[in-house]
Structures are given as structure tokens and as C-alpha cells.
Amino acid sequence: MSDEKKEKPETGTPEQPSDDDRVIADMNVEGMPWYRKNSQQQKKKQKKDPFRPTAKETRAMIFAAYKAYLPYLLIVLGVMAAVYVIGYFYFK
């Protein structure tokens, strides 16, 4: 077993790991000495979404969200009204 050679990674060594240009966390934070303002503007230009919803689709999504939350709103208002009525008769 000691005669077998361990394979070393092809790119980089343990002392000096290779850089594969992946960004795990962006360290370009405003206020730091290495902050580059232009890099954020370049990212915004690159990230334009070609599948942007139209105005009609946006209105439909907003209406659907309101429609989905309506039962919860009615339940909360009903509970508040019930608490008010119970309190009104309890303290009368």
C-alpha cells in the first residue's frame, strides 16, 4: 500500500489551489477598500431577463395573489369582529 503513488490533482497543488473562476459569494461590498462600482452596473446589464411578463400578465398575477389572500383576510377580520362583539357584551 505504501508503494502506490497518490495521484495529485491535475490543476493546482494543495499548497496553491487552482482558481476555476466560480463566485461563491460576491465580496464587492460598498465601503470596503476593494469596492468596484462598475462591476455591479456590468452585472445588471448582463442579467436582463428576456422572459419578462407583459403588463397584462403582471396585472393577472397581482389579481391572482389578492384572490389567494382574500380568505385569510376575511378570517382575520371575522376574528377581530368576533372579539369586538364578545368584548362589547362582556363589558356592558
Side-chain angles (χ1 to χ4, degrees), residues 79-92:
V79 168
M80 290 172 78
V83 168
Y84 177 76
V85 169
I86 290 170
Y88 178 77
F89 289 118
Y90 181 74
F91 291 116
K92 191 171 183 183

Side-chain angles (χ1 to χ4, degrees), residues 1-6:
M1 290 190 181
S2 62
D3 295 336
E4 295 177 10
K5 292 183 179 179
K6 292 183 180 179

Side-chain angles (χ1 to χ4, degrees), residues 2 6 10 13 18 32 34-35 46 53 55 59 64-65 67 88 91:
S2 62
K6 292 183 180 179
E10 294 177 9
T13 62
S18 64
M32 295 294 184
W34 56 80
Y35 177 68
Q46 291 175 355
R59 282 191 298 271
K67 194 173 170 183
Y88 178 77
F91 291 116

Side-chain angles (χ1 to χ4, degrees), residues 31-73:
M32 295 294 184
W34 56 80
Y35 177 68
R36 290 182 293 175
K37 191 179 225 179
N38 295 336
S39 68
Q40 288 182 352
Q41 293 171 354
Q42 291 172 356
K43 286 179 186 177
K44 287 180 183 177
K45 288 179 183 177
Q46 291 175 355
K47 288 190 176 185
K48 289 205 173 190
D49 190 12
F51 302 107
R52 198 160 183 208
T54 63
K56 186 176 180 181
E57 291 171 335
T58 304
R59 282 191 298 271
M61 287 188 280
I62 292 171
F63 179 72
Y66 285 151
K67 194 173 170 183
Y69 289 125
L70 183 64
Y72 298 111
L73 175 67

Side-chain angles (χ1 to χ4, degrees), residues 5-30:
K5 292 183 179 179
K6 292 183 180 179
E7 292 183 23
K8 291 186 178 179
E10 294 177 9
T11 57
T13 62
E15 297 85 25
Q16 202 173 32
S18 64
D19 185 14
D20 57 1
D21 294 329
R22 290 186 298 166
V23 176
I24 304 301
D26 187 16
M27 295 292 150
N28 191 25
V29 181
E30 189 174 346

